[in-house]
Amino acid sequence: MNASDTRLALVIIDVQKGMFDFPGIGPINKTGLLSNIQVLIERAREAAYPIIYIKHKGGPDHPFSKSADGHDIAAEIAPQPGDHIVLKSECGVFTNTELESLLQDLSIRHLVICGMQTEFCVDTAIRTAADRGYGVVVASGAHATFDSERLSARQIAEHHEAVWAQTFGSVQTYDEIKFGEVIDAPA
C-alpha cells in the first residue's frame, strides 16, 4: 500500500513526562526511546500523515492528573500545530475516547503504533485496533516498558512483538518504517 491507496496515521501512546519518573519503578532508556519516536514523527510529517498523541489522564492524586507535571507529553516529541491529542483514562485507547471518531473523520485505516507501556496500553491498543479492522504496524524500538519481577523490559518487548506479529499486524523496526512507501499493515 502507499499514500495513494490508504490513509495511515502515527499513534504515540502515553509518552508523558511522568513515565520517566514514575515513583518506585526503574528507569527506561529515555534518550533512545524518544530518539526513535522522533524518527517516526519526522517521517510521518514529511509524508503528510496525521500524528495522534494519546495522553493518559489520571485522577487528582495520579502522576498523570491534568495538574501534575507528569501529564505533559515529553518535550522532545511535543505535538506541533495540526497534530491531534486524544485523552484517555483507561488502558484502552478506544475506551471512552474520541479516537475512533477521529480516525473515521480522517479516513484512517492503518496505524503505526509506538509508545508506553508495552504490555499495557500499547498491547491493548494493538489488539483492539486489529479487532476493529485497522491494519497495524508496530514500531519495534519505539515502545517501552519497565522491568518486572520476572522479566526484563527487553524480554517483555520481545514476547509481545512475537505475539503481535503472529496475529495482530506486522512488526517493523522504527528505522524500517518509511511513511509514503509500501507498509505491510494487513487490514
Side-chain angles (χ1 to χ4, degrees):
M1 87 192 66
N2 59 44
S4 65
D5 63 9
T6 190
R7 285 292 289 165
L8 176 74
L10 174 61
V11 178
I12 303 166
I13 301 170
D14 295 350
V15 184
Q16 294 164 255
K17 289 180 184 179
M19 289 301 284
F20 301 104
D21 300 318
F22 212 86
I25 299 181
I28 285 180
N29 179 355
K30 178 179 180 180
T31 303
L33 175 67
L34 295 178
S35 175
N36 297 350
I37 292 174
Q38 285 172 333
V39 168
L40 293 170
I41 291 170
E42 288 169 13
R43 289 181 179 167
R45 286 194 204 296
E46 287 172 6
Y49 282 107
I51 300 172
I52 302 169
Y53 291 83
I54 308 293
K55 284 177 69 175
H56 189 87
K57 61 176 182 168
D61 296 326
H62 193 278
F64 297 148
S65 71
K66 282 190 131 184
S67 62
D69 186 47
H71 180 71
D72 294 333
I73 293 169
E76 296 88 339
I77 61 162
Q80 301 296 311
D83 292 342
H84 305 275
I85 299 174
V86 174
L87 298 176
K88 70 176 182 64
S89 56
E90 309 290 335
C91 188
V93 298
F94 290 94
T95 305
N96 300 318
T97 72
E98 299 175 357
L99 181 59
E100 186 85 58
S101 63
L102 175 62
L103 295 174
Q104 290 173 357
D105 290 347
L106 296 172
S107 301
I108 301 298
R109 294 305 314 148
H110 294 81
L111 308 174
V112 173
I113 297 178
C114 62
M116 298 172 73
Q117 280 182 256
T118 300
E119 72 277 35
F120 295 114
C121 298
V122 172
D123 180 58
T124 302
I126 290 164
R127 291 169 185 255
T128 305
D131 285 349
R132 290 177 182 228
Y134 292 95
V136 174
V137 175
V138 179
S140 180
H143 63 88
T145 192
F146 306 98
D147 291 341
S148 74
E149 289 182 17
R150 295 178 183 247
L151 298 172
S152 69
R154 182 181 185 148
Q155 290 171 314
I156 293 167
E158 289 172 354
H159 166 77
H160 279 77
E161 287 180 0
V163 171
W164 297 330
Q166 288 176 352
T167 309
F168 299 102
S170 70
V171 176
Q172 299 177 30
T173 62
Y174 74 94
D175 57 344
E176 292 175 319
I177 297 171
K178 308 277 193 275
F179 291 83
E181 294 181 12
V182 174
I183 292 181
D184 179 21

